[in-house]
Short mmCIF file of all heavy atoms in Angstrom, two decimals:
data_model
loop_
_atom_site.label_atom_id
_atom_site.label_comp_id
_atom_site.label_asym_id
_atom_site.label_seq_id
_atom_site.Cartn_x
_atom_site.Cartn_y
_atom_site.Cartn_z
N MET W 1 17.18 -31.72 10.42
CA MET W 1 16.08 -32.66 10.53
C MET W 1 15.35 -32.71 9.18
O MET W 1 14.99 -31.67 8.63
CB MET W 1 15.12 -32.18 11.63
CG MET W 1 13.95 -33.14 11.80
SD MET W 1 12.62 -32.49 12.82
CE MET W 1 13.24 -32.79 14.45
N PRO W 2 15.11 -33.92 8.63
CA PRO W 2 14.44 -34.02 7.34
C PRO W 2 12.99 -33.61 7.40
O PRO W 2 12.35 -33.69 8.46
CB PRO W 2 14.58 -35.49 6.97
CG PRO W 2 14.92 -36.22 8.23
CD PRO W 2 15.51 -35.20 9.18
N ASN W 3 12.46 -33.15 6.28
CA ASN W 3 11.07 -32.78 6.20
C ASN W 3 10.19 -34.01 6.29
O ASN W 3 10.55 -35.07 5.78
CB ASN W 3 10.76 -32.08 4.87
CG ASN W 3 11.45 -30.74 4.78
OD1 ASN W 3 11.63 -30.06 5.74
ND2 ASN W 3 11.86 -30.42 3.57
N LYS W 4 9.04 -33.89 6.90
CA LYS W 4 8.10 -34.99 6.95
C LYS W 4 7.49 -35.13 5.58
O LYS W 4 7.17 -34.15 4.90
CB LYS W 4 7.00 -34.66 7.99
CG LYS W 4 5.98 -35.77 8.08
CD LYS W 4 5.05 -35.47 9.24
CE LYS W 4 3.86 -36.38 9.23
NZ LYS W 4 4.00 -37.62 9.87
N ALA W 5 7.35 -36.36 5.13
CA ALA W 5 6.76 -36.61 3.80
C ALA W 5 5.26 -36.60 3.89
O ALA W 5 4.66 -37.31 4.68
CB ALA W 5 7.25 -37.95 3.26
N TYR W 6 4.64 -35.76 3.06
CA TYR W 6 3.18 -35.69 2.98
C TYR W 6 2.67 -36.17 1.63
O TYR W 6 1.53 -36.53 1.49
CB TYR W 6 2.68 -34.25 3.18
CG TYR W 6 2.95 -33.72 4.56
CD1 TYR W 6 4.03 -32.90 4.84
CD2 TYR W 6 2.11 -34.08 5.61
CE1 TYR W 6 4.25 -32.42 6.11
CE2 TYR W 6 2.35 -33.62 6.90
CZ TYR W 6 3.43 -32.78 7.14
OH TYR W 6 3.65 -32.32 8.41
N ASN W 7 3.56 -36.15 0.63
CA ASN W 7 3.13 -36.61 -0.69
C ASN W 7 4.21 -37.49 -1.29
O ASN W 7 5.37 -37.51 -0.84
CB ASN W 7 2.79 -35.42 -1.59
CG ASN W 7 4.03 -34.66 -2.06
OD1 ASN W 7 4.90 -35.24 -2.70
ND2 ASN W 7 4.12 -33.40 -1.72
N ARG W 8 3.82 -38.24 -2.33
CA ARG W 8 4.71 -39.13 -3.04
C ARG W 8 4.97 -38.68 -4.46
O ARG W 8 5.30 -39.50 -5.33
CB ARG W 8 4.06 -40.53 -3.11
CG ARG W 8 3.83 -41.18 -1.77
CD ARG W 8 3.32 -42.63 -1.94
NE ARG W 8 4.26 -43.42 -2.69
CZ ARG W 8 4.03 -43.88 -3.94
NH1 ARG W 8 2.92 -43.59 -4.58
NH2 ARG W 8 4.94 -44.62 -4.54
N ILE W 9 4.88 -37.41 -4.73
CA ILE W 9 5.05 -36.92 -6.10
C ILE W 9 6.40 -37.32 -6.64
O ILE W 9 6.50 -37.86 -7.75
CB ILE W 9 4.84 -35.39 -6.16
CG1 ILE W 9 3.40 -35.04 -5.76
CG2 ILE W 9 5.17 -34.88 -7.55
CD1 ILE W 9 3.16 -33.56 -5.57
N LYS W 10 7.45 -37.13 -5.86
CA LYS W 10 8.80 -37.44 -6.32
C LYS W 10 8.93 -38.92 -6.64
O LYS W 10 9.51 -39.31 -7.68
CB LYS W 10 9.80 -37.06 -5.23
CG LYS W 10 11.23 -37.28 -5.60
CD LYS W 10 12.16 -36.78 -4.48
CE LYS W 10 13.60 -36.94 -4.85
NZ LYS W 10 14.47 -36.33 -3.80
N GLU W 11 8.38 -39.81 -5.77
CA GLU W 11 8.46 -41.24 -6.02
C GLU W 11 7.71 -41.67 -7.27
O GLU W 11 8.20 -42.47 -8.04
CB GLU W 11 7.93 -42.00 -4.80
CG GLU W 11 8.84 -41.94 -3.59
CD GLU W 11 8.65 -40.67 -2.77
OE1 GLU W 11 7.71 -39.89 -3.05
OE2 GLU W 11 9.44 -40.47 -1.82
N VAL W 12 6.55 -41.09 -7.48
CA VAL W 12 5.77 -41.47 -8.66
C VAL W 12 6.45 -41.00 -9.94
O VAL W 12 6.53 -41.71 -10.92
CB VAL W 12 4.30 -40.89 -8.58
CG1 VAL W 12 3.54 -41.12 -9.86
CG2 VAL W 12 3.57 -41.52 -7.41
N LEU W 13 7.02 -39.77 -9.89
CA LEU W 13 7.80 -39.29 -11.05
C LEU W 13 8.96 -40.25 -11.33
O LEU W 13 9.20 -40.62 -12.48
CB LEU W 13 8.34 -37.89 -10.78
CG LEU W 13 7.36 -36.75 -10.89
CD1 LEU W 13 7.97 -35.44 -10.36
CD2 LEU W 13 6.86 -36.56 -12.33
N ARG W 14 9.66 -40.67 -10.31
CA ARG W 14 10.81 -41.59 -10.46
C ARG W 14 10.32 -42.90 -11.04
O ARG W 14 10.97 -43.45 -11.97
CB ARG W 14 11.48 -41.82 -9.13
CG ARG W 14 12.75 -42.65 -9.27
CD ARG W 14 13.48 -42.89 -7.94
NE ARG W 14 13.79 -41.63 -7.29
CZ ARG W 14 13.48 -41.34 -6.03
NH1 ARG W 14 12.83 -42.21 -5.29
NH2 ARG W 14 13.81 -40.20 -5.48
N GLU W 15 9.23 -43.46 -10.53
CA GLU W 15 8.68 -44.73 -11.03
C GLU W 15 8.34 -44.64 -12.51
O GLU W 15 8.48 -45.62 -13.25
CB GLU W 15 7.42 -45.10 -10.25
CG GLU W 15 7.68 -45.53 -8.82
CD GLU W 15 6.40 -45.59 -7.98
OE1 GLU W 15 5.29 -45.39 -8.54
OE2 GLU W 15 6.50 -45.83 -6.78
N GLN W 16 7.90 -43.45 -12.95
CA GLN W 16 7.50 -43.26 -14.35
C GLN W 16 8.65 -42.77 -15.25
O GLN W 16 8.47 -42.57 -16.43
CB GLN W 16 6.33 -42.29 -14.44
CG GLN W 16 5.08 -42.82 -13.80
CD GLN W 16 3.87 -41.94 -13.98
OE1 GLN W 16 3.94 -40.88 -14.66
NE2 GLN W 16 2.76 -42.32 -13.42
N GLY W 17 9.79 -42.55 -14.65
CA GLY W 17 10.95 -42.06 -15.39
C GLY W 17 10.78 -40.63 -15.89
O GLY W 17 11.28 -40.26 -16.92
N ARG W 18 10.09 -39.84 -15.12
CA ARG W 18 9.82 -38.45 -15.45
C ARG W 18 10.55 -37.53 -14.48
O ARG W 18 11.00 -37.93 -13.42
CB ARG W 18 8.35 -38.17 -15.47
CG ARG W 18 7.58 -39.07 -16.45
CD ARG W 18 6.22 -38.57 -16.70
NE ARG W 18 5.43 -39.47 -17.48
CZ ARG W 18 5.43 -39.55 -18.80
NH1 ARG W 18 6.22 -38.77 -19.49
NH2 ARG W 18 4.65 -40.36 -19.44
N THR W 19 10.62 -36.24 -14.81
CA THR W 19 11.35 -35.27 -14.00
C THR W 19 10.42 -34.18 -13.48
O THR W 19 9.31 -33.98 -13.98
CB THR W 19 12.47 -34.61 -14.83
OG1 THR W 19 11.86 -33.83 -15.86
CG2 THR W 19 13.43 -35.62 -15.40
N ASN W 20 10.96 -33.41 -12.53
CA ASN W 20 10.25 -32.24 -12.00
C ASN W 20 9.98 -31.25 -13.15
O ASN W 20 8.90 -30.64 -13.22
CB ASN W 20 11.09 -31.50 -10.97
CG ASN W 20 11.37 -32.31 -9.73
OD1 ASN W 20 11.03 -33.50 -9.63
ND2 ASN W 20 12.01 -31.70 -8.75
N LYS W 21 10.99 -31.06 -14.02
CA LYS W 21 10.83 -30.13 -15.14
C LYS W 21 9.68 -30.53 -16.05
O LYS W 21 8.93 -29.72 -16.51
CB LYS W 21 12.12 -30.06 -15.94
CG LYS W 21 13.21 -29.24 -15.28
CD LYS W 21 14.42 -29.15 -16.22
CE LYS W 21 15.48 -28.30 -15.61
NZ LYS W 21 16.63 -28.14 -16.50
N TRP W 22 9.59 -31.82 -16.31
CA TRP W 22 8.51 -32.33 -17.15
C TRP W 22 7.15 -32.01 -16.54
O TRP W 22 6.25 -31.50 -17.20
CB TRP W 22 8.66 -33.84 -17.38
CG TRP W 22 7.54 -34.46 -18.15
CD1 TRP W 22 7.41 -34.51 -19.51
CD2 TRP W 22 6.34 -35.04 -17.61
NE1 TRP W 22 6.22 -35.10 -19.84
CE2 TRP W 22 5.56 -35.42 -18.70
CE3 TRP W 22 5.90 -35.26 -16.32
CZ2 TRP W 22 4.30 -36.03 -18.55
CZ3 TRP W 22 4.65 -35.85 -16.17
CH2 TRP W 22 3.87 -36.24 -17.25
N LEU W 23 7.01 -32.31 -15.24
CA LEU W 23 5.77 -32.05 -14.52
C LEU W 23 5.45 -30.57 -14.53
O LEU W 23 4.28 -30.18 -14.77
CB LEU W 23 5.83 -32.59 -13.08
CG LEU W 23 4.53 -32.47 -12.28
CD1 LEU W 23 3.34 -33.18 -12.97
CD2 LEU W 23 4.74 -33.00 -10.86
N ALA W 24 6.42 -29.74 -14.27
CA ALA W 24 6.22 -28.28 -14.29
C ALA W 24 5.70 -27.83 -15.65
O ALA W 24 4.77 -27.01 -15.71
CB ALA W 24 7.52 -27.56 -13.94
N ALA W 25 6.27 -28.36 -16.71
CA ALA W 25 5.81 -27.97 -18.06
C ALA W 25 4.39 -28.43 -18.30
O ALA W 25 3.59 -27.70 -18.88
CB ALA W 25 6.77 -28.58 -19.11
N GLN W 26 4.05 -29.63 -17.87
CA GLN W 26 2.70 -30.17 -18.08
C GLN W 26 1.66 -29.34 -17.36
O GLN W 26 0.53 -29.16 -17.84
CB GLN W 26 2.59 -31.63 -17.61
CG GLN W 26 3.49 -32.58 -18.34
CD GLN W 26 3.25 -32.60 -19.82
OE1 GLN W 26 2.13 -32.81 -20.27
NE2 GLN W 26 4.30 -32.38 -20.59
N LEU W 27 2.02 -28.86 -16.18
CA LEU W 27 1.07 -28.10 -15.32
C LEU W 27 1.17 -26.59 -15.56
O LEU W 27 0.38 -25.84 -14.97
CB LEU W 27 1.35 -28.41 -13.84
CG LEU W 27 1.16 -29.83 -13.39
CD1 LEU W 27 1.66 -29.99 -11.97
CD2 LEU W 27 -0.30 -30.24 -13.50
N GLU W 28 2.15 -26.17 -16.35
CA GLU W 28 2.43 -24.74 -16.59
C GLU W 28 2.68 -24.05 -15.24
O GLU W 28 2.16 -22.99 -14.95
CB GLU W 28 1.31 -24.11 -17.36
CG GLU W 28 1.15 -24.69 -18.75
CD GLU W 28 0.04 -24.04 -19.55
OE1 GLU W 28 -0.77 -23.27 -19.02
OE2 GLU W 28 -0.02 -24.32 -20.77
N LYS W 29 3.54 -24.69 -14.42
CA LYS W 29 3.93 -24.17 -13.11
C LYS W 29 5.43 -23.91 -13.11
O LYS W 29 6.18 -24.46 -13.91
CB LYS W 29 3.59 -25.16 -11.99
CG LYS W 29 2.14 -25.50 -11.87
CD LYS W 29 1.36 -24.41 -11.17
CE LYS W 29 -0.07 -24.84 -10.93
NZ LYS W 29 -0.87 -23.77 -10.38
N ASN W 30 5.88 -23.11 -12.16
CA ASN W 30 7.27 -22.83 -12.01
C ASN W 30 8.02 -24.08 -11.54
O ASN W 30 7.53 -24.80 -10.67
CB ASN W 30 7.43 -21.70 -10.98
CG ASN W 30 8.85 -21.20 -10.87
OD1 ASN W 30 9.75 -21.94 -10.50
ND2 ASN W 30 9.03 -19.94 -11.20
N VAL W 31 9.21 -24.33 -12.10
CA VAL W 31 10.01 -25.51 -11.72
C VAL W 31 10.35 -25.51 -10.24
O VAL W 31 10.36 -26.54 -9.58
CB VAL W 31 11.29 -25.58 -12.56
CG1 VAL W 31 12.18 -26.72 -12.13
CG2 VAL W 31 10.95 -25.71 -14.05
N VAL W 32 10.58 -24.31 -9.67
CA VAL W 32 10.91 -24.20 -8.25
C VAL W 32 9.75 -24.65 -7.39
O VAL W 32 9.93 -25.36 -6.39
CB VAL W 32 11.34 -22.75 -7.88
CG1 VAL W 32 11.54 -22.62 -6.39
CG2 VAL W 32 12.60 -22.39 -8.65
N THR W 33 8.54 -24.29 -7.80
CA THR W 33 7.34 -24.71 -7.04
C THR W 33 7.22 -26.21 -7.06
O THR W 33 6.98 -26.84 -6.01
CB THR W 33 6.08 -24.06 -7.66
OG1 THR W 33 6.22 -22.64 -7.60
CG2 THR W 33 4.81 -24.48 -6.93
N VAL W 34 7.37 -26.83 -8.21
CA VAL W 34 7.26 -28.28 -8.31
C VAL W 34 8.36 -28.95 -7.51
O VAL W 34 8.12 -29.94 -6.81
CB VAL W 34 7.31 -28.75 -9.79
CG1 VAL W 34 7.34 -30.24 -9.90
CG2 VAL W 34 6.11 -28.19 -10.56
N SER W 35 9.53 -28.38 -7.51
CA SER W 35 10.63 -28.92 -6.70
C SER W 35 10.28 -28.91 -5.23
O SER W 35 10.56 -29.83 -4.48
CB SER W 35 11.93 -28.13 -6.95
OG SER W 35 12.97 -28.59 -6.14
N ARG W 36 9.65 -27.84 -4.78
CA ARG W 36 9.23 -27.72 -3.36
C ARG W 36 8.19 -28.79 -3.02
O ARG W 36 8.23 -29.34 -1.90
CB ARG W 36 8.69 -26.34 -3.09
CG ARG W 36 9.76 -25.29 -3.06
CD ARG W 36 9.18 -23.92 -2.77
NE ARG W 36 10.23 -22.92 -2.77
CZ ARG W 36 10.06 -21.67 -3.05
NH1 ARG W 36 8.85 -21.20 -3.33
NH2 ARG W 36 11.07 -20.83 -3.03
N TRP W 37 7.31 -29.10 -3.94
CA TRP W 37 6.34 -30.17 -3.69
C TRP W 37 7.05 -31.50 -3.58
O TRP W 37 6.75 -32.31 -2.70
CB TRP W 37 5.30 -30.26 -4.82
CG TRP W 37 4.46 -29.06 -5.03
CD1 TRP W 37 4.14 -28.08 -4.15
CD2 TRP W 37 3.79 -28.74 -6.25
NE1 TRP W 37 3.32 -27.15 -4.72
CE2 TRP W 37 3.08 -27.53 -6.02
CE3 TRP W 37 3.71 -29.32 -7.51
CZ2 TRP W 37 2.30 -26.91 -7.00
CZ3 TRP W 37 2.95 -28.71 -8.46
CH2 TRP W 37 2.25 -27.52 -8.22
N CYS W 38 8.00 -31.74 -4.48
CA CYS W 38 8.72 -33.02 -4.52
C CYS W 38 9.56 -33.21 -3.28
O CYS W 38 9.80 -34.34 -2.83
CB CYS W 38 9.58 -33.11 -5.77
SG CYS W 38 8.61 -33.33 -7.29
N ARG W 39 10.06 -32.14 -2.70
CA ARG W 39 10.85 -32.23 -1.48
C ARG W 39 10.04 -32.11 -0.23
O ARG W 39 10.55 -32.16 0.88
CB ARG W 39 11.95 -31.14 -1.51
CG ARG W 39 13.02 -31.37 -2.58
CD ARG W 39 14.08 -30.31 -2.56
NE ARG W 39 13.53 -29.01 -3.01
CZ ARG W 39 13.68 -27.87 -2.37
NH1 ARG W 39 14.37 -27.81 -1.25
NH2 ARG W 39 13.14 -26.74 -2.84
N ASN W 40 8.71 -31.97 -0.37
CA ASN W 40 7.80 -31.82 0.76
C ASN W 40 8.10 -30.58 1.62
O ASN W 40 7.85 -30.56 2.82
CB ASN W 40 7.78 -33.11 1.62
CG ASN W 40 6.88 -34.13 0.99
OD1 ASN W 40 5.67 -34.06 1.05
ND2 ASN W 40 7.49 -35.13 0.40
N VAL W 41 8.63 -29.56 0.97
CA VAL W 41 8.84 -28.28 1.64
C VAL W 41 7.54 -27.49 1.62
O VAL W 41 7.22 -26.74 2.55
CB VAL W 41 9.97 -27.49 0.92
CG1 VAL W 41 10.08 -26.08 1.46
CG2 VAL W 41 11.30 -28.25 1.06
N GLN W 42 6.77 -27.69 0.57
CA GLN W 42 5.51 -26.99 0.34
C GLN W 42 4.55 -28.07 -0.26
O GLN W 42 5.01 -29.02 -0.87
CB GLN W 42 5.72 -25.87 -0.65
CG GLN W 42 4.55 -25.03 -0.99
CD GLN W 42 4.94 -23.96 -1.99
OE1 GLN W 42 6.09 -23.64 -2.19
NE2 GLN W 42 3.93 -23.38 -2.62
N GLN W 43 3.26 -27.87 -0.06
CA GLN W 43 2.28 -28.84 -0.58
C GLN W 43 1.37 -28.14 -1.62
O GLN W 43 1.02 -26.95 -1.42
CB GLN W 43 1.44 -29.42 0.55
CG GLN W 43 2.23 -30.19 1.58
CD GLN W 43 3.03 -31.29 0.94
OE1 GLN W 43 2.60 -32.05 0.14
NE2 GLN W 43 4.30 -31.38 1.36
N PRO W 44 1.01 -28.86 -2.67
CA PRO W 44 0.08 -28.28 -3.63
C PRO W 44 -1.30 -28.21 -3.02
O PRO W 44 -1.64 -28.99 -2.13
CB PRO W 44 0.10 -29.29 -4.78
CG PRO W 44 0.54 -30.58 -4.17
CD PRO W 44 1.44 -30.23 -3.04
N ASP W 45 -2.11 -27.25 -3.50
CA ASP W 45 -3.48 -27.20 -3.03
C ASP W 45 -4.24 -28.40 -3.60
O ASP W 45 -3.75 -29.11 -4.45
CB ASP W 45 -4.15 -25.86 -3.36
CG ASP W 45 -4.23 -25.58 -4.88
OD1 ASP W 45 -4.46 -26.52 -5.64
OD2 ASP W 45 -4.07 -24.41 -5.24
N LEU W 46 -5.42 -28.61 -3.09
CA LEU W 46 -6.19 -29.81 -3.47
C LEU W 46 -6.49 -29.88 -4.97
O LEU W 46 -6.32 -30.92 -5.61
CB LEU W 46 -7.51 -29.84 -2.67
CG LEU W 46 -8.30 -31.13 -2.70
CD1 LEU W 46 -7.40 -32.30 -2.25
CD2 LEU W 46 -9.51 -31.03 -1.80
N GLU W 47 -6.85 -28.75 -5.54
CA GLU W 47 -7.17 -28.72 -6.98
C GLU W 47 -5.88 -29.11 -7.80
O GLU W 47 -5.97 -29.89 -8.72
CB GLU W 47 -7.62 -27.34 -7.39
CG GLU W 47 -7.97 -27.23 -8.88
CD GLU W 47 -8.47 -25.84 -9.24
OE1 GLU W 47 -8.95 -25.10 -8.38
OE2 GLU W 47 -8.38 -25.52 -10.44
N THR W 48 -4.76 -28.56 -7.40
CA THR W 48 -3.51 -28.88 -8.09
C THR W 48 -3.12 -30.32 -7.89
O THR W 48 -2.61 -30.98 -8.81
CB THR W 48 -2.38 -27.91 -7.64
OG1 THR W 48 -2.82 -26.57 -7.79
CG2 THR W 48 -1.11 -28.19 -8.36
N LEU W 49 -3.36 -30.87 -6.71
CA LEU W 49 -3.05 -32.28 -6.45
C LEU W 49 -3.84 -33.18 -7.43
O LEU W 49 -3.27 -34.11 -8.00
CB LEU W 49 -3.40 -32.63 -5.01
CG LEU W 49 -3.03 -34.05 -4.61
CD1 LEU W 49 -1.50 -34.21 -4.53
CD2 LEU W 49 -3.68 -34.43 -3.30
N TYR W 50 -5.08 -32.83 -7.67
CA TYR W 50 -5.87 -33.61 -8.62
C TYR W 50 -5.36 -33.42 -10.06
O TYR W 50 -5.36 -34.36 -10.86
CB TYR W 50 -7.36 -33.23 -8.56
CG TYR W 50 -8.06 -33.98 -7.44
CD1 TYR W 50 -8.28 -33.37 -6.21
CD2 TYR W 50 -8.51 -35.25 -7.61
CE1 TYR W 50 -8.92 -34.03 -5.17
CE2 TYR W 50 -9.14 -35.97 -6.59
CZ TYR W 50 -9.34 -35.33 -5.37
OH TYR W 50 -9.95 -36.04 -4.35
N GLN W 51 -4.88 -32.22 -10.38
CA GLN W 51 -4.27 -32.01 -11.71
C GLN W 51 -2.99 -32.83 -11.87
O GLN W 51 -2.77 -33.44 -12.94
CB GLN W 51 -3.96 -30.51 -11.91
CG GLN W 51 -5.17 -29.67 -12.06
CD GLN W 51 -4.82 -28.17 -12.05
OE1 GLN W 51 -3.67 -27.76 -11.82
NE2 GLN W 51 -5.81 -27.33 -12.32
N ILE W 52 -2.18 -32.86 -10.83
CA ILE W 52 -0.94 -33.67 -10.83
C ILE W 52 -1.31 -35.13 -11.06
O ILE W 52 -0.72 -35.82 -11.89
CB ILE W 52 -0.15 -33.48 -9.53
CG1 ILE W 52 0.35 -32.06 -9.42
CG2 ILE W 52 1.01 -34.48 -9.48
CD1 ILE W 52 0.89 -31.69 -8.02
N ALA W 53 -2.29 -35.62 -10.32
CA ALA W 53 -2.70 -37.02 -10.44
C ALA W 53 -3.16 -37.33 -11.89
O ALA W 53 -2.81 -38.36 -12.44
CB ALA W 53 -3.83 -37.31 -9.45
N ALA W 54 -3.94 -36.43 -12.47
CA ALA W 54 -4.43 -36.64 -13.85
C ALA W 54 -3.25 -36.68 -14.84
O ALA W 54 -3.22 -37.57 -15.71
CB ALA W 54 -5.39 -35.53 -14.23
N VAL W 55 -2.29 -35.79 -14.70
CA VAL W 55 -1.13 -35.75 -15.60
C VAL W 55 -0.32 -37.04 -15.46
O VAL W 55 0.17 -37.59 -16.43
CB VAL W 55 -0.26 -34.51 -15.30
CG1 VAL W 55 1.09 -34.61 -15.95
CG2 VAL W 55 -0.96 -33.25 -15.76
N LEU W 56 -0.20 -37.52 -14.22
CA LEU W 56 0.59 -38.73 -13.98
C LEU W 56 -0.19 -40.02 -14.19
O LEU W 56 0.39 -41.12 -14.17
CB LEU W 56 1.17 -38.71 -12.57
CG LEU W 56 2.19 -37.61 -12.28
CD1 LEU W 56 2.57 -37.60 -10.81
CD2 LEU W 56 3.40 -37.74 -13.17
N GLY W 57 -1.49 -39.90 -14.38
CA GLY W 57 -2.31 -41.09 -14.64
C GLY W 57 -2.49 -41.98 -13.40
O GLY W 57 -2.58 -43.18 -13.51
N VAL W 58 -2.54 -41.35 -12.22
CA VAL W 58 -2.75 -42.07 -10.98
C VAL W 58 -3.89 -41.37 -10.22
O VAL W 58 -4.30 -40.28 -10.57
CB VAL W 58 -1.46 -42.11 -10.10
CG1 VAL W 58 -0.34 -42.81 -10.81
CG2 VAL W 58 -1.03 -40.71 -9.69
N SER W 59 -4.33 -42.00 -9.16
CA SER W 59 -5.36 -41.39 -8.30
C SER W 59 -4.68 -40.40 -7.37
O SER W 59 -3.49 -40.58 -7.03
CB SER W 59 -6.15 -42.44 -7.51
OG SER W 59 -5.35 -42.96 -6.49
N ALA W 60 -5.40 -39.41 -6.94
CA ALA W 60 -4.84 -38.43 -5.98
C ALA W 60 -4.43 -39.14 -4.70
O ALA W 60 -3.44 -38.80 -4.09
CB ALA W 60 -5.87 -37.33 -5.70
N ARG W 61 -5.17 -40.16 -4.35
CA ARG W 61 -4.84 -40.95 -3.13
C ARG W 61 -3.45 -41.57 -3.21
O ARG W 61 -2.72 -41.64 -2.21
CB ARG W 61 -5.91 -42.01 -2.94
CG ARG W 61 -5.62 -42.93 -1.77
CD ARG W 61 -6.76 -43.87 -1.57
NE ARG W 61 -7.50 -43.28 -0.46
CZ ARG W 61 -8.53 -43.84 0.09
NH1 ARG W 61 -9.03 -44.95 -0.38
NH2 ARG W 61 -9.14 -43.28 1.10
N GLU W 62 -3.05 -42.01 -4.42
CA GLU W 62 -1.73 -42.60 -4.58
C GLU W 62 -0.60 -41.59 -4.37
O GLU W 62 0.54 -42.00 -4.19
CB GLU W 62 -1.61 -43.22 -5.99
CG GLU W 62 -2.42 -44.46 -6.18
CD GLU W 62 -2.28 -45.04 -7.54
OE1 GLU W 62 -1.15 -45.45 -7.89
OE2 GLU W 62 -3.27 -45.05 -8.28
N LEU W 63 -0.91 -40.31 -4.46
CA LEU W 63 0.10 -39.28 -4.28
C LEU W 63 0.30 -38.88 -2.82
O LEU W 63 1.21 -38.16 -2.50
CB LEU W 63 -0.26 -38.03 -5.11
CG LEU W 63 -0.25 -38.20 -6.60
CD1 LEU W 63 -0.70 -36.93 -7.27
CD2 LEU W 63 1.10 -38.62 -7.12
N LEU W 64 -0.59 -39.36 -1.98
CA LEU W 64 -0.52 -38.97 -0.55
C LEU W 64 0.14 -40.04 0.28
O LEU W 64 0.00 -41.25 0.02
CB LEU W 64 -1.94 -38.71 -0.04
CG LEU W 64 -2.71 -37.59 -0.73
CD1 LEU W 64 -4.13 -37.55 -0.19
CD2 LEU W 64 -2.00 -36.29 -0.54
N VAL W 65 0.86 -39.63 1.29
CA VAL W 65 1.50 -40.57 2.22
C VAL W 65 0.52 -40.87 3.33
O VAL W 65 -0.03 -39.97 3.95
CB VAL W 65 2.79 -39.93 2.81
CG1 VAL W 65 3.37 -40.79 3.89
CG2 VAL W 65 3.79 -39.65 1.71
N GLU W 66 0.32 -42.14 3.55
CA GLU W 66 -0.60 -42.55 4.61
C GLU W 66 0.12 -42.47 5.93
O GLU W 66 1.27 -42.92 6.07
CB GLU W 66 -1.08 -43.99 4.34
CG GLU W 66 -2.14 -44.44 5.32
CD GLU W 66 -2.65 -45.81 4.97
OE1 GLU W 66 -2.69 -46.16 3.78
OE2 GLU W 66 -3.01 -46.54 5.88
N GLU W 67 -0.53 -41.92 6.93
CA GLU W 67 0.05 -41.82 8.28
C GLU W 67 0.08 -43.22 8.88
O GLU W 67 -0.96 -43.88 9.01
CB GLU W 67 -0.80 -40.88 9.14
CG GLU W 67 -0.22 -40.63 10.51
CD GLU W 67 1.09 -39.85 10.43
OE1 GLU W 67 1.17 -38.86 9.70
OE2 GLU W 67 2.06 -40.23 11.10
N THR W 68 1.27 -43.69 9.23
CA THR W 68 1.38 -45.05 9.77
C THR W 68 1.88 -45.12 11.20
O THR W 68 1.96 -46.16 11.76
CB THR W 68 2.35 -45.89 8.90
OG1 THR W 68 3.61 -45.24 8.86
CG2 THR W 68 1.79 -46.08 7.48
N GLU W 69 2.25 -43.96 11.77
CA GLU W 69 2.72 -43.95 13.13
C GLU W 69 1.58 -44.23 14.09
O GLU W 69 0.53 -43.61 13.98
CB GLU W 69 3.35 -42.59 13.46
CG GLU W 69 4.59 -42.29 12.69
CD GLU W 69 5.13 -40.92 13.00
OE1 GLU W 69 4.77 -40.35 14.06
OE2 GLU W 69 5.92 -40.40 12.21
N GLU W 70 1.82 -45.15 14.99
CA GLU W 70 0.80 -45.45 16.01
C GLU W 70 0.98 -44.51 17.17
O GLU W 70 2.10 -44.25 17.61
CB GLU W 70 0.93 -46.89 16.49
CG GLU W 70 0.59 -47.90 15.38
CD GLU W 70 0.66 -49.31 15.89
OE1 GLU W 70 0.58 -49.54 17.13
OE2 GLU W 70 0.85 -50.21 15.06
N LYS W 71 -0.12 -44.03 17.70
CA LYS W 71 -0.09 -43.12 18.85
C LYS W 71 -0.18 -43.94 20.12
O LYS W 71 -1.00 -44.86 20.22
CB LYS W 71 -1.22 -42.10 18.76
CG LYS W 71 -1.04 -41.21 17.56
CD LYS W 71 -2.10 -40.14 17.53
CE LYS W 71 -1.85 -39.27 16.29
NZ LYS W 71 -2.78 -38.22 16.19
N GLU W 72 0.64 -43.61 21.09
CA GLU W 72 0.61 -44.35 22.34
C GLU W 72 -0.33 -43.71 23.34
O GLU W 72 -0.56 -42.59 23.38
CB GLU W 72 2.03 -44.39 22.92
CG GLU W 72 2.98 -45.13 22.02
CD GLU W 72 4.39 -45.16 22.59
OE1 GLU W 72 4.54 -44.98 23.82
OE2 GLU W 72 5.31 -45.38 21.83
#
């Protein structure tokens, strides 16, 4: 079963032509940790999410997946 998507870090990196390794270097984080964020296996804490947004030049809101499922 695929992981539920909570963030769009991977998509934004792809849109900008950047890699997980590049982001890890910018944030001085382990590449494995960044990979986990990109695969939605693990989520960055709020402070780190804002750092990621600043490095990518987007708002933190743009990195989050909006819940669109309607509840019955």
Side-chain angles (χ1 to χ4, degrees):
M1 180 192 280
N3 293 326
K4 181 173 169 86
Y6 294 101
N7 73 60
R8 297 185 59 250
I9 297 170
K10 183 176 183 175
E11 289 82 7
V12 174
L13 284 169
R14 186 178 305 127
E15 289 168 4
Q16 295 186 2
R18 302 194 187 277
T19 65
N20 297 5
K21 284 184 177 182
W22 176 85
L23 183 59
Q26 298 302 306
L27 297 171
E28 298 180 348
K29 298 283 186 185
N30 187 297
V31 176
V32 173
T33 300
V34 174
S35 177
R36 288 179 181 155
W37 298 337
C38 290
R39 292 181 291 130
N40 279 286
V41 172
Q42 180 180 344
Q43 298 304 314
D45 61 37
L46 193 55
E47 182 179 338
T48 304
L49 184 70
Y50 277 98
Q51 290 172 352
I52 294 167
V55 166
L56 295 175
V58 298
S59 72
R61 175 175 259 184
E62 289 180 64
L63 295 177
L64 299 174
V65 173
E66 185 174 329
E67 186 66 47
T68 57
E69 294 179 17
E70 293 182 22
K71 296 184 180 182
E72 297 180 20

